[in-house]
Amino acid sequence: MAEIRTKWVDNLQFIAIDAENHSLVMDGSLEAGGQGTGFRPAQLLLVGLAGCTGMDVISILRKKRQQVTSLELVVSGEQAVEPPWAYQNISVEYIIKGKKHR
């Protein structure tokens, strides 16, 4: 079971720490009363999606013995204009480069 501890720092700033002591700063935008010093929590949903699907794609391509030289994921999401600002639409674009087999 994974566990993340999240500590409030100040204003809208929080620091999340995992079991291996990795940390990540979350903060609100200046317009929302934050300091703009970190990811917005809703952005982290897109970050997690990119990381999970990116790892899956690399793993599958390696198993297929594809020579990938770069993989970039562009994840964008459209949120509702009213609270709780749930994502209404999320798209993932994969930009993959590699070498041809000979």
Side-chain angles (χ1 to χ4, degrees), residues 43-72:
Q43 290 173 323
L44 291 174
L45 179 70
L46 303 180
V47 170
L49 175 60
C52 285
T53 190
M55 289 181 187
D56 287 345
V57 167
I58 286 294
S59 177
I60 292 166
L61 290 173
R62 283 183 175 168
K63 287 177 185 172
K64 297 287 186 180
R65 296 194 167 120
Q66 298 299 307
Q67 296 179 24
V68 178
T69 58
S70 74
L71 170 62
E72 180 180 354

Side-chain angles (χ1 to χ4, degrees), residues 13-27:
Q13 187 183 61
F14 291 80
I15 296 182
I17 303 167
D18 70 5
E20 287 86 30
N21 213 28
H22 300 112
S23 63
L24 181 109
V25 176
M26 295 176 281
D27 199 356

Side-chain angles (χ1 to χ4, degrees), residues 1-101:
M1 177 186 303
E3 180 178 283
I4 302 293
R5 292 184 173 267
T6 302
K7 296 180 181 181
W8 175 58
V9 177
D10 191 25
N11 293 324
L12 293 178
Q13 187 183 61
F14 291 80
I15 296 182
I17 303 167
D18 70 5
E20 287 86 30
N21 213 28
H22 300 112
S23 63
L24 181 109
V25 176
M26 295 176 281
D27 199 356
S29 66
L30 294 172
E31 299 82 28
Q35 299 169 29
T37 60
F39 281 100
R40 310 301 178 267
Q43 290 173 323
L44 291 174
L45 179 70
L46 303 180
V47 170
L49 175 60
C52 285
T53 190
M55 289 181 187
D56 287 345
V57 167
I58 286 294
S59 177
I60 292 166
L61 290 173
R62 283 183 175 168
K63 287 177 185 172
K64 297 287 186 180
R65 296 194 167 120
Q66 298 299 307
Q67 296 179 24
V68 178
T69 58
S70 74
L71 170 62
E72 180 180 354
L73 292 94
V74 179
V75 181
S76 57
E78 182 181 344
Q79 290 179 271
V81 294
E82 297 292 326
W85 304 287
Y87 281 106
Q88 303 296 306
N89 186 13
I90 294 176
S91 68
V92 181
E93 176 184 0
Y94 299 86
I95 304 164
I96 303 170
K97 295 180 182 176
K99 296 180 181 178
K100 289 186 178 184
H101 285 288

